Amino acid sequence: MSSTTAMPLASTVPTLTRRVFQLATLLTFLAVALGSLVCASESGFECGNWPGCTASALLPSGPVSSFFYKNPWIEMTHRTSAILVGPAALAAAVLALRLKGAVALVKVLPWVTVAGALVAGYFGRLTVLGLPVPAWGGALDLGSALAAMAAMVVATVALERTPTRPSRSRVSSLAWVSVTVMVAMHLVSLFAAGAGSYTRCLSWPVWELLAADRLASGSAQVIRIGLAIAAACAVLATSWYARNQAVLRGPAVGTGVLLVIVLFFGLALRVTHSDQLGVPFSVVTVVLLWTQVLLAARASLRVGDEH
């Protein structure tokens, strides 16, 4: 594909449209990252009403005993970002309909984000209100949130360029394989976790971190560890093959470094069983997944002068 037939779309995209896409992408990332923080810090039940924190107050009130543990402000911040994802993605979807020359991904994927936000919001509300959510419901909740995040990242990358078709390469294939395997690993964790276990949070597997996990499905634990090994290999392979391409070097190096940090936190948690390590472990896990999606999107949507 020559550079004369595939020019970046950014020069013709209105600034408002570009900013709305970027805002929606940021909000989807924050919703997932803060959701993992809520889980790791056990802040999810500190506001027992919806949408306000309590039946009589919209926002939390009273002293907070710990900044990173059972903090109602963490829950409310996450809830706010999650609520805003739908309107922001809807605005992006409507604005995309007016674009001429944009690839189909730009016009379709924001709607995927809208749908994902609605599903995740529904199950999130059930959880906050203390209603029972089975493991499959938790997996649907998490899968919808991750799909919304990935869809908005790809749509925003596609907005800046207009290839005749997605580019297939070793890097793009490895990147999407790693993303798929990581998402599967996170979904399996909902079935591998015991009652109240940290394993239900976004994280990489730490074998028998809590006694409750031993009561859960042993096969799910084994599958999760196998998926983690496959994902780590795919991430490292992607970083290795993408490191010499200027447009991919940043996220390639980033994912490699983030994977090392994730594995370090996992080892530290296995040794110390410290609750305090769970918060950065979960957040870095989300950043790694987001960065790998960005790498996959950039590798798949290439303009002529990037080949």
Side-chain angles (χ1 to χ4, degrees):
M1 181 167 53
S2 67
S3 58
T4 58
T5 59
M7 296 298 292
L9 184 63
S11 60
T12 60
V13 174
T15 299
L16 175 62
T17 301
R18 190 181 304 113
R19 294 291 181 262
V20 169
F21 267 73
Q22 292 169 349
L23 175 62
T25 301
L26 174 62
L27 288 172
T28 57
F29 168 75
L30 288 176
V32 176
L34 290 171
S36 71
L37 180 58
V38 166
C39 181
S41 64
E42 298 185 17
S43 300
F45 297 105
E46 296 307 298
C47 287
N49 198 43
W50 183 279
C53 186
T54 66
S56 59
L58 178 64
L59 298 177
S61 59
V64 177
S65 58
S66 174
F67 186 78
F68 279 121
Y69 186 70
K70 291 188 175 181
N71 187 338
W73 285 102
I74 294 178
E75 163 60 22
M76 285 305 299
T77 304
H78 163 248
R79 193 180 300 181
T80 301
S81 65
I83 290 174
L84 292 175
V85 166
L90 180 60
V94 172
L95 290 171
L97 295 177
R98 303 177 61 184
L99 292 176
K100 295 182 179 180
V103 295
L105 293 175
V106 174
K107 298 186 177 183
V108 173
L109 290 182
W111 295 105
V112 175
T113 299
V114 172
L118 289 174
V119 174
Y122 171 76
F123 282 101
R125 179 178 180 274
L126 293 182
T127 301
V128 167
L129 296 178
L131 300 176
V133 177
W136 65 263
L140 183 58
D141 177 11
L142 177 59
S144 298
L146 296 181
M149 182 179 73
M152 208 61 233
V153 171
V154 176
T156 302
V157 172
L159 184 70
E160 303 296 333
R161 53 199 72 197
T162 177
T164 56
R165 63 177 63 88
S167 172
R168 289 189 176 183
S169 66
R170 177 185 295 174
V171 173
S172 63
S173 298
L174 283 170
W176 283 119
V177 165
S178 66
V179 169
T180 302
V181 176
M182 277 193 283
V183 170
M185 175 187 71
H186 294 316
L187 296 181
V188 170
S189 69
L190 276 300
F191 300 92
S197 170
Y198 173 77
T199 300
R200 76 190 190 282
C201 303
L202 273 170
S203 62
W204 286 58
V206 180
W207 180 252
E208 293 187 344
L209 180 62
L210 295 176
D213 288 347
R214 291 196 291 270
L215 302 177
S217 172
S219 59
Q221 289 281 18
V222 173
I223 292 172
R224 186 169 179 247
I225 291 176
L227 289 171
I229 294 173
C233 292
V235 169
L236 290 175
T238 305
S239 297
W240 176 260
Y241 287 113
R243 73 192 191 286
N244 292 325
Q245 302 181 37
V247 72
L248 303 178
R249 186 173 297 121
V253 173
T255 54
V257 172
L258 288 167
L259 178 61
V260 172
I261 295 174
V262 162
L263 296 178
F264 168 79
F265 276 125
L267 178 61
L269 269 171
R270 183 67 181 88
V271 173
T272 66
H273 287 227
S274 171
D275 292 337
Q276 295 180 354
L277 291 176
V279 170
F281 188 30
S282 290
V283 173
V284 173
T285 295
V286 177
V287 177
L288 170 59
L289 178 59
W290 187 91
T291 307
Q292 193 71 356
V293 172
L294 176 63
L295 174 57
R298 287 186 178 178
S300 302
L301 299 168
R302 309 286 295 279
V303 295
D305 56 358
E306 291 177 355
H307 287 281

